[in-house]
Amino acid sequence: MVANPSLVLNKIDDITFETYEAPEIVEPTDVIVEVKKTGICGSDIHYYAHGKIGNFILTKPMVLGHESAGVVSQVGKGVKHLKVGDRVAIEPGIPSRLSDAYKSGHYNLCPHMCFAATPNSTEGEPNPPGTLCKYFKSPEDFLVKLPEHVSLELGAMVEPLSVGVHASKLGKVTFGDNVAVFGAGPVGLLAAATAKTFGAARVIVIDIFDNKLQMAKDIGAATHTFNSKTGGDYKDLIAAFDGVEPNVILECTGAEPCIAMGVQIAAPGGRFVQVGNAGAAVKFPITEFATKELTLFGSFRYGYGDYQTAVNIFDANYKNGKDKAPIDFEQLITHRFKFDDAIKAYDLVRAGSGAVKCLIDGPL
């Protein structure tokens, strides 16, 4: 047996190190990846603290982690585009190849999605394995090779960046757009960076914490910022945005006041992308939404091509070296931990101690 050290969430407030048997090649297109870097996501913390997110309820132990990059250690005989030693970003959600969602090109909406570190409600079936382990198995077509300019640490950030990519694609962000991003957490910051990369002329990031807003400017993701707690109402926000009403809203908080303000500041005919999830139903300013003829898009994870686009963004950003990078994505990595200290990493992020993106090394 090849040992596979793993970090396991057993139940609320209970994380342990366990050793399982490493996965093996079964299908010709299977690839075994030795995981090297894994980011902690807010969803991981939610399961740790509450044991559920919406209808996804933890009822049995689950290996944590879904934001990962690593090095290919084995390939099936049918693998054509990867070889042992290649560095890859791992896309953690595998749809049913038989679903209508997959066949129609919207595989992120597949009702039978097997998503890493997401509880499986099927009786008697184990949870999909997470990526916080030494060895992880994936189909070849859900791995993206990392170019030389993209480190394994950045590779672990491809997953949250892909959320921003998907949102900007849905909102059709392009050159000259004026974009407002609500929320300066990791997803909001990466959504703002994506909008900037897609050619937005102005990007304003809205949050209630000045240090997060400062980071949005420091990394080069925002041209403007606004503190919605101390800065005033929606008219003050527009004034802070050079008097411009944004034509694209990327709402990354799920908070009712932010959703309402997003509708208030949106330019007539604008596009509103809802990225953040709310804990319950929210009131929505439907009359103003209708009279402005806004278009609303729901955004869920990422779809076809989004992972590759995210890798391409990192590659283009760093092609001339770190010193000349337009956006300092690496500044978002505020904490790094060895695998043996992974529980400490989860506790730090859960405590809300200022971590933006926390990365954990793979097991040695």
Side-chain angles (χ1 to χ4, degrees):
M1 178 183 107
V2 177
N4 194 25
S6 305
L7 187 71
V8 177
L9 175 62
N10 299 293
K11 57 185 178 181
I12 295 173
D13 298 332
D14 183 5
I15 295 179
T16 57
F17 293 101
E18 305 292 341
T19 299
Y20 299 125
E21 186 172 355
E24 297 180 346
I25 299 289
V26 176
E27 301 294 334
T29 53
D30 282 346
V31 176
I32 305 296
V33 178
E34 185 173 349
V35 179
K36 297 297 186 182
K37 303 289 179 180
T38 298
I40 295 180
C41 175
S43 65
D44 297 330
I45 301 301
H46 216 79
Y47 289 125
Y48 184 23
H50 306 291
K52 64 178 182 178
I53 298 177
N55 294 326
F56 297 105
I57 302 172
L58 184 73
T59 60
K60 48 205 167 191
M62 174 178 76
V63 177
L64 288 162
H66 63 266
E67 300 180 2
S68 290
V71 178
V72 173
S73 64
Q74 295 181 56
V75 297
K77 62 182 180 180
V79 173
K80 298 179 180 179
H81 305 294
L82 292 173
K83 64 183 184 303
V84 173
D86 282 345
R87 300 175 311 117
V88 294
I90 303 169
E91 183 170 349
I94 311 300
S96 165
R97 308 293 184 152
L98 304 177
S99 70
D100 289 340
Y102 175 80
K103 292 176 181 178
S104 67
H106 302 92
Y107 65 78
N108 57 314
L109 305 180
C110 175
H112 309 293
M113 175 71 77
C114 180
F115 197 90
T118 299
N120 179 358
S121 61
T122 303
E123 186 69 29
E125 291 292 322
N127 287 316
T131 56
L132 254 174
C133 54
K134 187 173 179 66
Y135 298 108
F136 184 82
K137 182 170 71 174
S138 172
E140 178 188 19
D141 57 330
F142 281 81
L143 299 171
V144 179
K145 187 176 178 179
L146 299 177
E148 61 177 311
H149 303 299
V150 182
S151 67
L152 284 166
E153 287 194 337
L154 289 171
M157 291 176 62
V158 170
E159 198 275 347
L161 180 59
S162 295
V163 176
V165 167
H166 193 62
S168 277
K169 285 183 178 180
L170 286 169
K172 299 178 176 61
V173 176
T174 190
F175 288 92
D177 279 340
N178 297 301
V179 180
V181 179
F182 283 86
V187 169
L189 291 170
L190 290 169
T194 303
K196 189 84 175 295
T197 303
F198 276 27
R202 297 179 183 86
V203 177
I204 187 167
V205 175
I206 302 101
D207 203 284
I208 60 173
F209 296 105
D210 287 332
N211 61 325
K212 292 184 177 182
L213 295 173
Q214 187 60 49
M215 177 169 276
K217 280 193 171 181
D218 288 346
I219 68 171
T223 58
H224 300 69
T225 59
F226 185 79
N227 189 313
S228 55
K229 186 175 182 179
T230 61
D233 62 11
Y234 75 95
K235 294 179 182 178
D236 297 303
L237 195 162
I238 293 171
F241 202 35
D242 301 333
V244 174
E245 294 178 323
N247 65 310
V248 180
I249 310 294
L250 304 179
E251 207 299 300
C252 300
T253 72
E256 186 175 299
C258 295
I259 295 169
M261 183 176 275
V263 173
Q264 289 176 314
I265 65 172
R271 306 180 292 279
F272 191 113
V273 184
Q274 187 59 45
V275 183
N277 291 321
V282 300
K283 293 181 181 178
F284 188 80
I286 193 68
T287 300
E288 188 167 4
F289 186 89
T291 55
K292 285 186 174 183
E293 287 199 352
L294 303 179
T295 302
L296 176 64
F297 298 90
S299 185
F300 184 58
R301 292 176 180 156
Y302 28 78
Y304 177 71
D306 294 337
Y307 242 69
Q308 184 65 63
T309 299
V311 170
N312 292 346
I313 287 173
F314 282 146
D315 190 29
N317 190 72
Y318 288 102
K319 67 179 180 181
N320 295 319
K322 294 181 181 180
D323 293 342
K324 297 182 179 179
I327 297 174
D328 187 3
F329 289 101
E330 292 184 335
Q331 190 176 334
L332 298 178
I333 305 171
T334 54
H335 296 77
R336 295 170 172 87
F337 286 83
K338 299 297 184 185
F339 182 76
D340 291 345
D341 294 322
I343 298 175
K344 294 179 182 178
Y346 270 81
D347 287 338
L348 179 141
V349 176
R350 180 178 176 177
S353 54
V356 179
K357 183 52 65 176
C358 178
L359 295 187
I360 300 171
D361 290 341
L364 297 176

